[in-house]
Amino acid sequence: MKKTASQFILFLLLIITCAADAQIVATDKQQEEKIHALIGQMTMQEKVSLLHGNSKFYVSGIKRLGIPEWALSDGPHGVRAEINRDNWAYAGWTNDSSTCFPPGTALAASWNPKLAYKRGIVLGEEARYRKKDILLGPGINIIRSPLCGRNFEYMSEDPLLISKMTVAYIKALQSKNVAASVKHWLANNQEENRGTIDVSMSERALREIYLPGFKAAITEGGAYTVMAAYNKFRGDWCSENEYLNRQILRGEFGFKGVLMTDWSAAHTTVKAAMTGLDLEMGTDVKDYNEWYFANPLIKAVEEGKVPVSVVDEKVANVLRVMFNTKMFDEEKREKGSMNTPEHQQAAYNSAAEAAVLLQNNGNLLPLHFDKIKSIAIIGDNAIRTHCGGGLSSEIKTLYEITPLQALQKKFGATVKINFAQGYEKQSTFREGANSGQANSDKIDWKLIDEAVRVAKESDVVIICGGLNHDFDTESSDRQNMDLPYGQDVLIREVAKANPKTVLVIIAGSPVKLAGIVNRVPSILWSWFGGMEAGNAVADLLSGKINPSGKLPFTIPVTLEQSPAHALGNFPGRNLAVNYEEDILVGYRWFDTKKIQPQFPFGYGLSYTKFLIGNFSVNKQTYGKDETIQAKFTVKNTGNAYGGEVVQLYASDPVCSVLRPEKELKAFEKIFLKPGETKTVEMRVKVADLAFYDETKKAWNAESGAYILQLGNSSRDIFRKVTISVK
Ligand code: BGC
């Protein structure tokens, strides 16, 4: 009797599951039929009108068929303010001040995909409030060099960390009926000559390092749109690259959405059309009808150079994204909201969890403000706002709290705050030219002397230094890794005057810290922190929040240590760059070559201590299609609540090809009360231990031993287990 009942339930479940599957297929099928029917009613003129911009950020609809205009907006970390339709000036709207999150490297530094998810939700709600259909983000290019101007917008040197953040972000954003646009496809790893540089790399580097983030974005995140990069890849522009766009994106990843150009990155009509580009945006030609995918495309069809079926395929891709984001079903569509307290809280949480405590000698931090009488706050970054910089990712934020404002507000009533600027911003932002950064190393002794004076008068010193968006910016790279404006000298002199000096670094990419680590006891890297930056910094310094971020990239001692620079392959020569370091990007290079960096990938301290132990795996030997279940415990052995990011790396000590010393395979952020212990399980597919075998043109997990290494940075490994694969 019992058995029959459970069999019946099973049977019911089966029917329900099959019915659900059938429904998915049916709606997809119905949708495809609708798309087909719509295309059937269009003239060639109408079809083509859907394939190019009709202004800076809009694409025409077809009124008579009920197809709405498409609205795009920039914004990996906030919805960009409204730009005029026909020029780049801001439109001056009064309802477009948005929530500004800390940019990409800060998100990755939290190592918490839940924050990426929350960010996606907020961005989706704000984009819908602004009636946007596509948000141009996330930006997920690999951080290959410390100097790339857009590092701050991107996430990491590691493809797994990028993938986890990206998938969560996209799923959340698209759940609000806003299409993501993953960018920049592919290998936009420098800004210098970005519009002309021809990138080459081995097939293995492509597969192991540069593709995985995009693959995850499409196959797991389900990204509806992709933005083709400005640069060339192996001789062809990314916007008309048969291998990237037809073979990999459409063929291997099964991408059924829209591939658009970056702004003004289209170069031809026929070749781009035939190789899979769908949408042309931003072309610098006044008459929109003259764009490559406008009248010239109609002409190419008439001349038989582009088949009608190819145009129809593009139109279908456009309509599919419209259906998926409920553009034909406004009633059911997300209505959106703007700058709610919940959105602002999400921006704060993101900043608070991103900060990385790099050094804390003598436990100078957290500062006990109840016992401090006076504090010196020094540095231009204590008073500078950053949300409005960086170029296309700049945000007109509703507000932005600076560190000085927050410290004054939170502690100013009981602590005397002595501010000194310390250094002056000597650079100016100039689009497309690093010259804006020139002459930015003058030492201003007047400002330094004043800073030294306030440092001497105060119990404790906080220097807020680092970079700003004249350096961390789209359209130009940095010239070196140095802290600009004579900050090295300022820090040296201030620390001499008052050894109780905390350095807060506000920057989105690596800076040289070699001369500094021995001079100041404590360094907190707080990134560009978005609208709540100052509040987060103040709460981190006071210990209200315990730092739990980890570096998403390696900080080298010198620029020459890092792979692309060690090999002299940045930014290339004669408009070509070969990624000679191959798969050895970031920590893969430093660890394999046994080069001691300043601070390793994955590194970050806490105000408490954690013990990672009891590492075990469920089996000793695995088949190639099995999954490894790794278990361990984490204990908070200190006396503050805190979060630890446990990282699981793998290495393949005997292999027919060079493998990196170790590669990140899984990670988890765990929050614990003092004394609390948690058991954590991580799963790694044996298939994910494979390398890309160029001879077989396939992934290959060779039989033999693999070492799984558990730690809290690529250089702090506490436990190792050897497994074998048969
Ligand atoms: C950037 C893109 C951006 C686009 C539109 C380009 O210069 O590379 O990331 O989305 O402009 O502003």
Side-chain angles (χ1 to χ4, degrees), residues 56-57 73-76 80 83 88 135-137 139 150 153-154 181 183-184 188 191 194 227-230 260-264 281-282 391-393 431 474-475:
K56 290 286 176 221
F57 285 94
S73 170
D74 262 316
R80 193 179 185 186
I83 286 173
W88 281 104
L135 196 75
L136 305 173
R150 279 187 109 163
E153 251 187 275
Y154 299 153
S181 192
K183 63 192 192 184
H184 307 88
N188 183 184
E191 290 299 281
R194 66 174 174 172
M227 187 192 290
Y230 283 119
M260 71 178 79
T261 61
D262 198 338
W263 268 233
S264 204
M281 292 304 295
L391 211 55
S392 66
S393 67
E431 194 173 343
E474 178 185 343
S475 94

Side-chain angles (χ1 to χ4, degrees), residues 292-369:
Y292 296 104
F293 271 23
N295 286 344
L297 182 55
I298 298 177
K299 191 160 167 255
V301 173
E302 284 164 0
E303 289 171 354
K305 292 180 183 154
V306 174
V308 174
S309 61
V310 168
V311 173
D312 288 354
E313 178 198 359
K314 299 180 195 314
V315 175
N317 292 338
V318 169
L319 294 175
R320 198 171 294 119
V321 176
M322 290 184 163
F323 273 108
N324 287 342
T325 50
K326 296 201 170 71
M327 283 180 70
F328 297 109
D329 206 352
E330 274 302 320
E331 275 306 297
K332 295 207 185 117
R333 212 173 180 203
E334 167 71 32
K335 300 283 174 289
S337 54
M338 190 79 159
N339 253 315
T340 64
E342 196 190 328
H343 292 182
Q344 292 159 12
Q345 182 67 41
Y348 169 85
N349 292 346
S350 190
E353 258 195 57
V356 182
L357 183 62
L358 290 178
Q359 182 166 294
N360 197 19
N361 297 339
N363 293 331
L364 178 57
L365 289 175
L367 297 174
H368 300 285
F369 282 94

Side-chain angles (χ1 to χ4, degrees), residues 458-607:
S458 309
D459 295 345
V460 187
V461 181
I462 298 167
I463 301 178
C464 294
L467 302 173
N468 54 44
H469 287 306
D470 293 348
F471 289 81
D472 268 324
T473 180
E474 178 185 343
S475 94
S476 61
D477 295 325
R478 283 188 296 153
Q479 297 305 288
N480 55 52
M481 234 174 61
D482 298 347
L483 280 173
Y485 319 128
Q487 287 180 72
D488 269 26
V489 177
L490 168 76
I491 295 164
R492 183 186 76 200
E493 294 302 312
V494 167
K496 268 198 271 175
N498 188 336
K500 284 191 178 170
T501 292
V502 177
L503 175 63
V504 176
I505 296 179
I506 293 166
S509 36
V511 296
K512 193 171 160 195
L513 294 173
I516 290 166
V517 286
N518 298 326
R519 301 187 197 274
V520 296
S522 299
I523 304 176
L524 180 75
W525 190 298
S526 74
W527 311 100
F528 296 113
M531 71 195 314
E532 286 284 336
N535 284 332
V537 166
D539 291 344
L540 286 152
L541 292 174
S542 73
K544 183 173 173 197
I545 299 285
N546 190 349
S548 64
K550 304 276 178 183
L551 289 177
F553 49 61
T554 308
I555 300 183
V557 178
T558 61
L559 185 62
E560 292 65 35
Q561 274 191 333
S562 70
H565 300 272
L567 299 173
N569 286 308
F570 185 96
R573 259 192 82 215
N574 299 332
L575 301 184
V577 58
N578 180 21
Y579 291 5
E580 216 187 321
E581 71 282 2
D582 204 50
I583 52 159
L584 297 183
V585 174
Y587 68 92
R588 285 166 166 80
W589 165 269
F590 282 84
D591 292 359
T592 308
K593 301 282 180 189
K594 310 219 177 326
I595 300 165
Q596 186 65 42
Q598 192 73 61
F599 291 106
F601 172 81
Y603 177 82
L605 302 171
S606 166
Y607 297 151

